[in-house]
Amino acid sequence: MLEEFEKKDFQKILKHNALEAHRWMKETDSSAVRVYDRNLGAFPVTVELYNEYARIVDYSVPPMADDDVTLMKDIVSRFLYIEHDRILYLARKKREGREQHEKTDESLAVEVRESGLTFECELLKYVDTGLFLDQVNTRRMIQGMSRSMRVLNLFAYTSSFSVYAAAGGA
């Protein structure tokens, strides 16, 4: 069970980060952003916005207790202004050796913008959406240095770096 101060700390961080994220999204023509990234030990999760959805990925081992997940979803709903039925929770199991993350039968594909570019992200089928939101600045750097360049993207999981390079004139 979470302590009261842990809940309040999570709320403060989420509120602050959400204000910054909404400003950034407006300035950059983006609809997807990471709002929280495992800042507190009591909340070892990432919280990301994809349009009208909030996606929570739990990194704790074992995953958080159901009561704590319910509380966390309530906090995310209140502080990010997201409807409860649009908050997605995924537990990220620790892999061993060459083990891969399992894909689910559920699917929810959404089209999002990042820096004016459009991407399709799958929010439920896989533990990763394919658009790693913490890498936006790196992608923007690639865009800025790609004019008249030829690019071979050997790590083209979703081709987001290639899209940015093309937008930069590669």
Side-chain angles (χ1 to χ4, degrees):
M1 197 61 155
L2 294 164
E3 298 289 336
E4 196 60 37
F5 75 90
E6 293 170 321
K7 296 176 207 175
K8 288 184 183 203
D9 287 349
F10 182 61
Q11 291 170 353
K12 282 188 231 175
I13 292 170
L14 208 57
K15 182 179 180 179
H16 174 268
N17 290 358
L19 289 170
E20 293 295 318
H22 284 291
R23 275 190 213 110
W24 179 84
M25 288 191 305
K26 192 172 185 175
E27 291 169 3
T28 63
D29 187 22
S30 299
S31 64
V33 67
R34 182 167 289 178
V35 180
Y36 176 87
D37 192 8
R38 298 180 269 179
N39 301 74
L40 301 169
F43 290 90
V45 300
T46 57
V47 179
E48 298 175 329
L49 296 177
Y50 294 87
N51 299 332
E52 69 275 8
Y53 292 95
R55 188 171 191 269
I56 301 169
V57 178
D58 182 359
Y59 287 81
S60 59
V61 179
M64 295 176 79
D66 290 344
D67 289 345
D68 292 337
V69 171
T70 300
L71 170 74
M72 179 175 50
K73 287 170 118 180
D74 182 56
I75 292 170
V76 167
S77 176
R78 284 186 292 124
F79 285 86
L80 298 183
Y81 302 102
I82 302 287
E83 295 177 35
H84 276 276
D85 63 341
R86 298 201 181 259
I87 299 173
L88 312 170
Y89 170 83
L90 291 89
R92 186 181 185 102
K93 294 180 185 174
K94 186 172 178 158
R95 297 178 297 173
E96 295 184 23
R98 293 177 174 243
E99 183 181 20
Q100 296 292 310
H101 290 292
E102 296 177 22
K103 83 177 179 181
T104 68
D105 293 333
E106 296 180 85
S107 179
L108 176 62
V110 297
E111 196 173 272
V112 299
R113 286 180 335 283
E114 185 183 77
S115 301
L117 303 172
T118 304
F119 299 92
E120 184 175 291
C121 296
E122 171 55 57
L123 302 184
L124 290 175
K125 191 174 290 273
Y126 307 98
V127 73
D128 294 318
T129 66
L131 185 63
F132 298 95
L133 299 179
D134 60 332
Q135 292 298 309
V136 62
N137 291 331
T138 309
R139 287 189 288 272
R140 292 174 89 184
M141 180 185 72
I142 295 296
Q143 181 179 12
M145 60 183 4
S146 295
R147 169 100 17 237
S148 301
M149 302 290 279
R150 293 183 66 188
V151 176
L152 173 61
N153 185 351
L154 297 176
F155 303 97
Y157 183 59
T158 60
S159 300
S160 61
F161 280 90
S162 298
V163 170
Y164 269 85

